[in-house]
Amino acid sequence: MTMNVVVFQLNGSDDDLITGAASAQALDSVQQAWRQAQHERQIGPSDVTKVHSTWQPSHLDQVFLAETFPEAGHTYVFERPDGDDWTDALEFARRVMAEAEGLYQQKRGQETIVRAERDGEWLPILHSTSAPLPFSASVPLVEGKLYVGFAKVATMPNGQIGMSHLMRSRFEAMSEEEFAELAGEFSDNLLRGLTFKVFPDQELGTMATIERDGPCAASAILLDDFHEKAASQVGEDRLIVGLVSPDDIFIAGAGSGRATEIREAVLTSPDTGSELVPCLLLVDADGMDVIAERPR
């Protein structure tokens, strides 16, 4: 992550890309990357339709981008820190890259985040207080216990999930209208392919699960009508909801025999690949609370 990898899209095609790289801390890292790209192929500034970099360009590189590629879009993954101390920024970037694919291989992680930023859809991402994302935007769902962040999420060619998180500074700079538009987008995306499955049992009671044609099914707890729909599926108003992983959610009446099964599934969940620590919620018409969390 000490390198700033810069991807130049050519002629508006995601299949026509060329990359260069330079030290992340170099004030002219984008310019160095462009010189490398030109050395590789005979291309000019007018061929470039988009520039994507690992790190936010310095002021010097921003001027270069505006003057050299005035019609090209530009995106980046990580914000450049103020001042000369890169310690926290580099550590955060390494962690995000590792989480993106579950591997501490920076090159593959870089490719994952670039793909997620380019191809992903905005989704709400659940995370626990005990597994914080210090530079990512988040808002409390259960104060001090459970939070929701936002990321572009995409399935990688190897079947794993890649994410590009919304950074806190970008979130704080959003207007109410901009956030409302983003909220509408991730709600629509989350609802796509979301279905309840119901498993009745005369002795233990009814249990329901939620499945989604894609990742983050457990984020369904954020939907405005989640309690109403879930209660109608299991036939009780007070619910036990088990978030066994970001993709696995189990629901039953708080007074049913299924509640014990769900608690056990949460406390013994093998999932360790996300910022959501498996947890048990008590949900009713007045709200929700975290009543248990799998020991770490």
Side-chain angles (χ1 to χ4, degrees), residues 2-294:
T2 58
M3 299 297 290
N4 184 25
V5 178
V6 184
V7 181
F8 299 93
Q9 180 198 63
L10 305 178
N11 305 309
S13 172
D14 286 339
D15 296 321
D16 194 0
L17 307 174
I18 190 167
T19 63
S23 169
Q25 299 182 48
L27 295 178
D28 64 341
S29 62
V30 175
Q31 297 173 62
Q32 292 185 47
W34 174 238
R35 288 195 291 271
Q36 292 173 29
Q38 287 185 302
H39 182 73
E40 247 184 81
R41 285 174 60 180
Q42 291 184 344
I43 53 174
S46 61
D47 297 315
V48 177
T49 46
K50 189 173 182 180
V51 182
H52 181 82
S53 57
T54 308
W55 291 95
Q56 180 185 22
S58 67
H59 177 70
L60 183 66
D61 271 339
Q62 289 179 34
V63 172
F64 169 75
L65 285 165
E67 292 179 347
T68 309
F69 314 108
E71 302 299 324
H74 178 255
T75 57
Y76 60 87
V77 179
F78 300 112
E79 292 189 350
R80 193 178 188 88
D82 294 328
D84 297 327
D85 188 355
W86 282 65
T87 305
D88 290 343
L90 289 171
E91 178 56 33
F92 171 69
R94 289 189 187 97
R95 177 177 174 182
V96 170
M97 299 296 263
E99 289 174 347
E101 203 172 349
L103 298 171
Y104 288 87
Q105 297 179 15
Q106 294 177 6
K107 183 177 179 181
R108 292 188 64 192
Q110 171 69 41
E111 293 170 353
T112 295
I113 289 186
V114 168
R115 283 179 178 271
E117 184 69 29
R118 185 188 67 196
D119 304 329
E121 59 178 356
W122 281 110
L123 288 172
I125 309 298
L126 298 173
H127 72 91
S128 306
T129 306
S130 54
L133 296 175
F135 291 94
S136 297
S138 65
V139 294
L141 185 58
V142 178
E143 188 70 53
K145 298 178 181 179
L146 186 63
Y147 288 75
V148 58
F150 317 95
K152 279 193 170 182
V153 183
T155 302
M156 299 296 107
N158 62 5
Q160 295 188 9
I161 301 301
M163 296 185 187
S164 178
H165 291 271
L166 176 67
M167 297 292 102
R168 186 189 305 164
S169 56
R170 180 181 170 192
F171 172 70
E172 291 174 348
M174 281 184 170
S175 66
E176 290 185 9
E177 292 77 13
E178 288 172 327
F179 180 70
E181 182 178 350
L182 175 63
E185 184 174 349
F186 71 63
S187 293
D188 289 345
N189 291 339
L190 181 62
L191 282 167
R192 191 178 302 117
L194 202 68
T195 58
F196 278 89
K197 288 194 173 182
V198 180
F199 304 91
D201 186 293
Q202 290 186 350
E203 182 178 349
L204 296 176
T206 298
M207 181 174 70
T209 64
I210 298 178
E211 296 182 359
R212 183 176 180 272
D213 185 18
C216 304
S219 296
I221 63 172
L222 300 166
L223 299 173
D224 291 339
D225 60 353
F226 169 75
H227 171 260
E228 179 183 355
K229 285 188 175 179
S232 69
Q233 298 292 329
V234 302
E236 290 192 40
D237 184 68
R238 296 180 76 247
L239 306 173
I240 286 292
V241 178
L243 306 181
V244 178
S245 80
D247 303 316
D248 298 293
I249 175 172
F250 298 88
I251 307 160
S256 75
R258 295 285 200 177
T260 301
E261 292 181 12
I262 294 175
R263 174 185 287 270
E264 184 66 17
V266 166
L267 297 181
T268 60
S269 171
D271 182 72
T272 57
S274 74
E275 55 268 26
L276 173 67
V277 178
C279 60
L280 194 70
L281 308 180
L282 178 64
V283 181
D284 58 25
D286 296 324
M288 65 178 65
D289 192 15
V290 177
I291 57 175
E293 188 177 84
R294 187 202 61 195

